[in-house]
Amino acid sequence: MKDRLEYILFISFSYLFRLLGLKAARTFAGFLALVFYYLIPIRKKTVIDNLNIAFPNLSDSVKKKIAFGSYISFAISLVEILYLPWMTETEMKNSVAIENLELIEDKNRLGKGVILLSAHFGNWEYIAASASLQLNKKFLIIVKNQRNKFVNDWMNKMRTRWLNEVVPLGVSVRNIYSVLKSNGIAAMVADQRGPEEGLKLDFFGKKTSVYTGPAVLALKTGAPIIFGIPIRQKDYSYKTTLTELDKTNLPAEEEEKIKLLTERMIKYLEKIISEHPEQWLWMHRRWKH
Protein backbone atom coordinates (compact mmCIF):
# COMPACT_ATOMS: atom_id res chain seq x y z
CA MET A 1 0.00 0.00 0.00
CA LYS A 2 2.83 2.40 0.86
CA ASP A 3 4.48 1.83 -2.53
CA ARG A 4 1.20 2.40 -4.34
CA LEU A 5 0.52 5.66 -2.49
CA GLU A 6 4.04 6.90 -3.21
CA TYR A 7 3.56 6.04 -6.86
CA ILE A 8 0.25 7.92 -7.02
CA LEU A 9 1.95 11.00 -5.56
CA PHE A 10 4.85 10.54 -8.00
CA ILE A 11 2.54 10.36 -11.02
CA SER A 12 0.40 13.25 -9.75
CA PHE A 13 3.44 15.52 -9.92
CA SER A 14 4.14 14.26 -13.44
CA TYR A 15 0.67 15.37 -14.58
CA LEU A 16 1.00 18.66 -12.66
CA PHE A 17 4.24 19.44 -14.47
CA ARG A 18 2.56 18.62 -17.77
CA LEU A 19 -0.05 21.30 -17.00
CA LEU A 20 2.61 23.80 -15.94
CA GLY A 21 4.95 23.08 -18.84
CA LEU A 22 8.62 22.25 -18.38
CA LYS A 23 9.83 25.84 -18.11
CA ALA A 24 7.44 26.70 -15.28
CA ALA A 25 7.92 23.30 -13.65
CA ARG A 26 11.65 23.88 -13.39
CA THR A 27 11.01 27.02 -11.34
CA PHE A 28 8.98 24.82 -8.98
CA ALA A 29 12.21 22.91 -8.28
CA GLY A 30 13.46 25.78 -6.14
CA PHE A 31 10.44 25.37 -3.85
CA LEU A 32 11.04 21.61 -3.59
CA ALA A 33 14.67 22.24 -2.68
CA LEU A 34 13.66 24.65 0.10
CA VAL A 35 11.21 22.12 1.52
CA PHE A 36 13.60 19.17 1.52
CA TYR A 37 16.63 21.14 2.70
CA TYR A 38 15.09 23.30 5.41
CA LEU A 39 11.59 22.11 6.35
CA ILE A 40 11.75 18.34 5.88
CA PRO A 41 15.50 17.74 5.61
CA ILE A 42 16.11 14.53 3.69
CA ARG A 43 19.67 13.16 3.96
CA LYS A 44 20.94 16.64 4.83
CA LYS A 45 23.37 15.26 7.40
CA THR A 46 24.74 12.81 4.83
CA VAL A 47 25.25 15.64 2.33
CA ILE A 48 27.11 17.81 4.86
CA ASP A 49 29.20 14.86 6.08
CA ASN A 50 30.18 14.03 2.49
CA LEU A 51 31.13 17.63 1.76
CA ASN A 52 33.25 17.74 4.92
CA ILE A 53 35.17 14.72 3.63
CA ALA A 54 35.53 15.97 0.06
CA PHE A 55 36.29 19.62 0.81
CA PRO A 56 37.76 19.86 4.31
CA ASN A 57 39.42 23.21 3.56
CA LEU A 58 36.28 25.01 2.44
CA SER A 59 34.41 27.21 4.89
CA ASP A 60 31.13 26.02 6.37
CA SER A 61 29.26 28.75 4.50
CA VAL A 62 30.66 27.60 1.13
CA LYS A 63 29.86 23.96 1.91
CA LYS A 64 26.30 24.89 2.87
CA LYS A 65 25.96 26.80 -0.39
CA ILE A 66 27.12 23.71 -2.32
CA ALA A 67 24.77 21.54 -0.27
CA PHE A 68 21.71 23.66 -1.02
CA GLY A 69 22.80 23.91 -4.64
CA SER A 70 22.87 20.12 -4.86
CA TYR A 71 19.26 20.01 -3.57
CA ILE A 72 18.25 22.49 -6.26
CA SER A 73 20.09 20.45 -8.89
CA PHE A 74 18.44 17.22 -7.78
CA ALA A 75 15.00 18.89 -7.69
CA ILE A 76 15.48 20.16 -11.27
CA SER A 77 16.48 16.66 -12.37
CA LEU A 78 13.44 15.19 -10.62
CA VAL A 79 11.13 17.67 -12.34
CA GLU A 80 12.71 16.89 -15.70
CA ILE A 81 12.41 13.14 -15.10
CA LEU A 82 8.73 13.49 -14.17
CA TYR A 83 8.19 15.46 -17.37
CA LEU A 84 9.70 12.69 -19.54
CA PRO A 85 6.32 11.25 -20.69
CA TRP A 86 5.49 14.57 -22.33
CA MET A 87 8.81 15.19 -24.09
CA THR A 88 8.95 14.70 -27.84
CA GLU A 89 11.68 12.69 -29.50
CA THR A 90 13.12 15.89 -30.96
CA GLU A 91 13.19 17.57 -27.54
CA MET A 92 15.02 14.62 -26.02
CA LYS A 93 17.43 14.41 -28.93
CA ASN A 94 18.33 18.08 -28.51
CA SER A 95 18.41 18.06 -24.71
CA VAL A 96 22.19 17.49 -24.49
CA ALA A 97 24.73 19.23 -26.71
CA ILE A 98 27.51 16.68 -27.19
CA GLU A 99 30.61 18.43 -28.45
CA ASN A 100 32.37 15.40 -29.96
CA LEU A 101 29.70 12.78 -30.57
CA GLU A 102 31.83 11.31 -33.35
CA LEU A 103 34.11 9.80 -30.68
CA ILE A 104 31.50 7.11 -29.97
CA GLU A 105 31.08 6.42 -33.68
CA ASP A 106 34.83 6.27 -34.27
CA LYS A 107 35.40 3.85 -31.39
CA ASN A 108 32.37 1.77 -32.36
CA ARG A 109 33.92 1.18 -35.78
CA LEU A 110 36.74 -0.73 -34.10
CA GLY A 111 34.26 -3.55 -33.49
CA LYS A 112 34.81 -4.06 -29.76
CA GLY A 113 31.76 -2.26 -28.42
CA VAL A 114 31.73 0.90 -26.30
CA ILE A 115 31.29 1.40 -22.56
CA LEU A 116 29.63 4.79 -21.95
CA LEU A 117 29.97 5.98 -18.35
CA SER A 118 28.18 8.82 -16.64
CA ALA A 119 27.50 9.89 -13.06
CA HIS A 120 24.64 11.10 -10.87
CA PHE A 121 25.40 14.56 -12.13
CA GLY A 122 23.25 17.19 -13.83
CA ASN A 123 20.47 15.07 -15.34
CA TRP A 124 22.01 11.62 -15.76
CA GLU A 125 18.80 10.22 -17.31
CA TYR A 126 19.10 12.57 -20.28
CA ILE A 127 22.57 11.64 -21.53
CA ALA A 128 21.95 8.06 -22.69
CA ALA A 129 18.55 8.83 -24.23
CA SER A 130 19.81 11.92 -26.04
CA ALA A 131 23.08 10.38 -27.26
CA SER A 132 21.37 7.24 -28.58
CA LEU A 133 18.88 9.35 -30.54
CA GLN A 134 21.63 11.55 -31.96
CA LEU A 135 23.53 8.45 -33.06
CA ASN A 136 20.39 6.49 -33.96
CA LYS A 137 21.87 3.55 -32.06
CA LYS A 138 20.41 1.42 -29.27
CA PHE A 139 22.18 1.52 -25.91
CA LEU A 140 21.93 -1.13 -23.21
CA ILE A 141 21.32 0.82 -19.99
CA ILE A 142 22.48 -0.85 -16.77
CA VAL A 143 20.21 0.33 -13.96
CA LYS A 144 19.89 -0.19 -10.23
CA ASN A 145 16.35 -1.21 -9.30
CA GLN A 146 14.36 1.29 -7.23
CA ARG A 147 12.86 0.21 -3.91
CA ASN A 148 9.36 1.05 -5.12
CA LYS A 149 8.39 -1.45 -7.84
CA PHE A 150 5.79 0.88 -9.39
CA VAL A 151 8.26 3.77 -9.65
CA ASN A 152 10.91 1.35 -10.91
CA ASP A 153 8.66 0.09 -13.70
CA TRP A 154 7.71 3.66 -14.66
CA MET A 155 11.36 4.72 -14.79
CA ASN A 156 12.30 1.78 -17.00
CA LYS A 157 9.37 2.54 -19.28
CA MET A 158 10.76 6.07 -19.71
CA ARG A 159 14.29 4.80 -20.30
CA THR A 160 13.08 2.49 -23.06
CA ARG A 161 10.64 4.96 -24.59
CA TRP A 162 12.82 5.54 -27.64
CA LEU A 163 15.74 3.30 -28.65
CA ASN A 164 17.28 1.94 -25.48
CA GLU A 165 16.92 -1.25 -23.45
CA VAL A 166 17.53 -1.72 -19.72
CA VAL A 167 19.04 -4.52 -17.68
CA PRO A 168 19.21 -4.56 -13.85
CA LEU A 169 22.54 -4.12 -12.11
CA GLY A 170 23.76 -7.32 -10.50
CA VAL A 171 22.38 -9.84 -12.99
CA SER A 172 23.71 -8.09 -16.04
CA VAL A 173 27.35 -9.10 -16.52
CA ARG A 174 26.62 -11.79 -19.11
CA ASN A 175 24.19 -9.48 -20.93
CA ILE A 176 26.68 -6.61 -21.02
CA TYR A 177 29.51 -8.89 -22.13
CA SER A 178 27.34 -10.23 -24.95
CA VAL A 179 26.37 -6.71 -26.07
CA LEU A 180 29.99 -5.55 -26.13
CA LYS A 181 31.17 -8.66 -27.99
CA SER A 182 28.45 -7.89 -30.56
CA ASN A 183 29.89 -4.36 -30.91
CA GLY A 184 27.02 -2.80 -28.99
CA ILE A 185 27.04 0.16 -26.60
CA ALA A 186 26.55 -0.34 -22.85
CA ALA A 187 25.80 2.70 -20.69
CA MET A 188 25.92 2.99 -16.90
CA VAL A 189 26.60 5.40 -14.05
CA ALA A 190 29.85 4.69 -12.25
CA ASP A 191 29.97 6.89 -9.17
CA GLN A 192 28.15 5.05 -6.39
CA ARG A 193 29.69 3.07 -3.56
CA GLY A 194 30.92 -0.42 -4.35
CA PRO A 195 30.49 -3.56 -2.21
CA GLU A 196 32.06 -3.51 1.26
CA GLU A 197 34.41 -6.38 0.43
CA GLY A 198 35.45 -4.83 -2.89
CA LEU A 199 38.40 -2.72 -4.01
CA LYS A 200 38.97 0.46 -2.02
CA LEU A 201 40.59 3.52 -3.55
CA ASP A 202 41.15 7.14 -2.62
CA PHE A 203 38.25 9.38 -3.59
CA PHE A 204 38.71 13.01 -2.54
CA GLY A 205 41.55 11.83 -0.29
CA LYS A 206 39.67 9.12 1.62
CA LYS A 207 39.48 5.39 0.93
CA THR A 208 36.11 4.09 -0.21
CA SER A 209 34.82 1.01 -2.00
CA VAL A 210 34.45 1.31 -5.77
CA TYR A 211 32.84 -0.64 -8.60
CA THR A 212 35.39 -2.36 -10.82
CA GLY A 213 32.83 -3.66 -13.34
CA PRO A 214 33.56 -1.15 -16.13
CA ALA A 215 37.31 -1.80 -15.89
CA VAL A 216 36.84 -5.58 -15.88
CA LEU A 217 34.57 -5.44 -18.93
CA ALA A 218 36.87 -3.07 -20.79
CA LEU A 219 39.87 -5.33 -20.22
CA LYS A 220 38.04 -8.54 -21.13
CA THR A 221 36.41 -7.23 -24.30
CA GLY A 222 38.82 -4.52 -25.43
CA ALA A 223 35.95 -2.00 -25.38
CA PRO A 224 36.95 1.63 -24.84
CA ILE A 225 35.54 3.50 -21.83
CA ILE A 226 34.04 6.87 -22.71
CA PHE A 227 32.78 9.33 -20.11
CA GLY A 228 29.79 11.51 -20.94
CA ILE A 229 28.74 13.63 -17.98
CA PRO A 230 26.00 16.22 -18.70
CA ILE A 231 26.69 19.63 -17.19
CA ARG A 232 23.66 21.82 -16.68
CA GLN A 233 23.89 25.35 -18.08
CA LYS A 234 22.18 28.48 -16.74
CA ASP A 235 19.41 28.14 -19.32
CA TYR A 236 18.72 24.52 -18.18
CA SER A 237 20.29 23.05 -21.28
CA TYR A 238 23.03 20.44 -20.96
CA LYS A 239 26.47 20.17 -22.48
CA THR A 240 29.09 17.46 -22.41
CA THR A 241 32.46 16.74 -23.94
CA LEU A 242 33.04 13.03 -24.34
CA THR A 243 36.31 11.84 -22.84
CA GLU A 244 37.98 8.49 -23.50
CA LEU A 245 39.65 6.93 -20.50
CA ASP A 246 43.33 6.14 -21.05
CA LYS A 247 43.91 2.37 -21.20
CA THR A 248 47.62 2.54 -22.07
CA ASN A 249 50.64 1.85 -19.83
CA LEU A 250 48.83 -0.66 -17.64
CA PRO A 251 50.77 -3.15 -15.47
CA ALA A 252 51.14 -6.80 -16.49
CA GLU A 253 49.09 -8.37 -13.67
CA GLU A 254 45.34 -8.46 -14.25
CA GLU A 255 44.34 -7.31 -10.75
CA GLU A 256 46.72 -4.39 -10.98
CA LYS A 257 45.31 -3.47 -14.40
CA ILE A 258 41.80 -3.41 -12.95
CA LYS A 259 42.95 -1.32 -10.00
CA LEU A 260 44.78 1.29 -12.09
CA LEU A 261 42.00 1.60 -14.67
CA THR A 262 39.39 2.00 -11.93
CA GLU A 263 41.63 4.56 -10.25
CA ARG A 264 41.71 6.57 -13.48
CA MET A 265 37.91 6.45 -13.60
CA ILE A 266 37.65 7.71 -10.02
CA LYS A 267 40.15 10.52 -10.62
CA TYR A 268 38.21 11.70 -13.66
CA LEU A 269 34.97 11.74 -11.65
CA GLU A 270 36.70 13.65 -8.88
CA LYS A 271 37.88 16.26 -11.39
CA ILE A 272 34.40 16.84 -12.86
CA ILE A 273 32.74 16.93 -9.44
CA SER A 274 35.31 19.43 -8.16
CA GLU A 275 34.55 21.75 -11.09
CA HIS A 276 30.76 21.71 -10.51
CA PRO A 277 30.19 20.28 -6.99
CA GLU A 278 26.61 21.54 -6.73
CA GLN A 279 25.53 19.32 -9.63
CA TRP A 280 26.58 15.99 -8.07
CA LEU A 281 24.21 13.91 -5.97
CA TRP A 282 25.80 14.13 -2.50
CA MET A 283 22.89 12.33 -0.78
CA HIS A 284 24.48 8.90 -1.20
CA ARG A 285 26.70 7.63 1.68
CA ARG A 286 29.70 7.41 -0.62
CA TRP A 287 32.26 6.81 2.14
CA LYS A 288 30.23 4.32 4.21
CA HIS A 289 32.93 1.69 3.70
Side-chain angles (χ1 to χ4, degrees):
M1 180 61 74
K2 178 186 176 184
D3 283 358
R4 193 175 294 277
L5 289 174
E6 287 176 350
Y7 176 68
I8 290 170
L9 180 62
F10 185 83
I11 290 300
S12 297
F13 273 107
S14 179
Y15 280 95
L16 171 63
F17 296 151
R18 181 192 185 187
L19 292 173
L20 291 175
L22 185 55
K23 185 176 180 180
R26 279 170 169 147
T27 64
F28 184 73
F31 171 75
L32 288 177
L34 285 168
V35 169
F36 293 120
Y37 186 80
Y38 290 108
L39 301 181
I40 314 171
I42 294 177
R43 300 196 179 188
K44 184 176 178 179
K45 183 179 184 304
T46 297
V47 171
I48 297 299
D49 288 346
N50 284 341
L51 287 169
N52 285 333
I53 291 169
F55 304 113
N57 297 323
L58 292 182
S59 67
D60 288 346
S61 61
V62 171
K63 282 182 279 194
K64 286 178 181 177
K65 183 178 179 180
I66 294 171
F68 184 60
S70 74
Y71 276 73
I72 293 175
S73 180
F74 175 66
I76 293 169
S77 297
L78 180 60
V79 165
E80 291 171 344
I81 288 167
L82 286 165
Y83 194 80
L84 282 174
W86 325 117
M87 285 187 77
T88 67
E89 181 176 316
T90 300
E91 287 173 331
M92 176 51 72
K93 185 176 181 179
N94 295 332
S95 63
V96 183
I98 303 175
E99 183 177 318
N100 52 339
L101 188 65
E102 68 278 359
L103 179 62
I104 296 177
E105 294 181 299
D106 291 344
K107 295 301 174 180
N108 206 208
R109 289 191 192 101
L110 299 177
K112 299 190 180 211
V114 173
I115 300 170
L116 180 62
L117 297 186
S118 194
H120 291 90
F121 194 100
N123 190 328
W124 55 93
E125 295 290 346
Y126 272 16
I127 182 66
S130 180
S132 68
L133 286 171
Q134 291 180 51
L135 290 167
N136 195 29
K137 288 180 181 288
K138 178 177 71 178
F139 292 2
L140 181 74
I141 313 296
I142 293 85
V143 299
K144 184 177 181 180
N145 284 333
Q146 302 292 315
R147 175 189 59 79
N148 186 312
K149 180 185 182 302
F150 301 107
V151 173
N152 187 73
D153 290 347
W154 185 92
M155 284 297 305
N156 286 338
K157 184 179 178 181
M158 293 303 105
R159 289 165 176 150
T160 57
R161 190 174 161 211
W162 290 287
L163 295 175
N164 296 333
E165 293 182 5
V166 299
V167 63
L169 180 69
V171 296
S172 58
V173 174
R174 185 174 297 177
N175 304 64
I176 304 167
Y177 183 80
S178 176
V179 165
L180 294 173
K181 293 302 284 185
S182 301
N183 199 31
I185 299 172
M188 64 193 85
V189 293
D191 58 342
Q192 288 194 306
R193 185 182 65 243
E196 186 172 1
E197 68 280 3
L199 176 66
K200 291 179 172 57
L201 294 173
D202 279 343
F203 186 48
F204 283 99
K206 183 173 180 178
K207 294 284 186 188
T208 184
S209 57
V210 295
Y211 277 114
T212 59
V216 171
L217 286 164
L219 291 169
K220 281 190 174 182
T221 64
I225 295 174
I226 296 176
F227 270 99
I229 298 180
I231 299 172
R232 184 180 295 115
Q233 308 300 301
K234 290 182 178 180
D235 63 356
Y236 298 104
S237 65
Y238 292 90
K239 291 183 180 179
T240 190
T241 300
L242 300 177
T243 302
E244 183 181 4
L245 197 68
D246 181 15
K247 288 172 60 183
T248 63
N249 301 315
L250 295 175
E253 293 185 9
E254 193 68 16
E255 290 300 316
E256 290 302 311
K257 285 181 182 178
I258 293 169
K259 180 180 178 181
L260 183 54
L261 197 54
T262 304
E263 192 171 64
R264 290 174 182 175
M265 287 167 41
I266 292 298
K267 290 301 179 186
Y268 181 78
L269 285 170
E270 188 176 311
K271 172 182 176 294
I272 296 296
I273 293 166
S274 296
E275 291 170 355
H276 305 275
E278 74 288 348
Q279 292 197 37
W280 195 48
L281 190 66
W282 292 94
M283 298 175 188
H284 176 62
R285 292 180 65 192
R286 190 60 184 82
W287 288 272
K288 183 180 179 181
H289 49 251

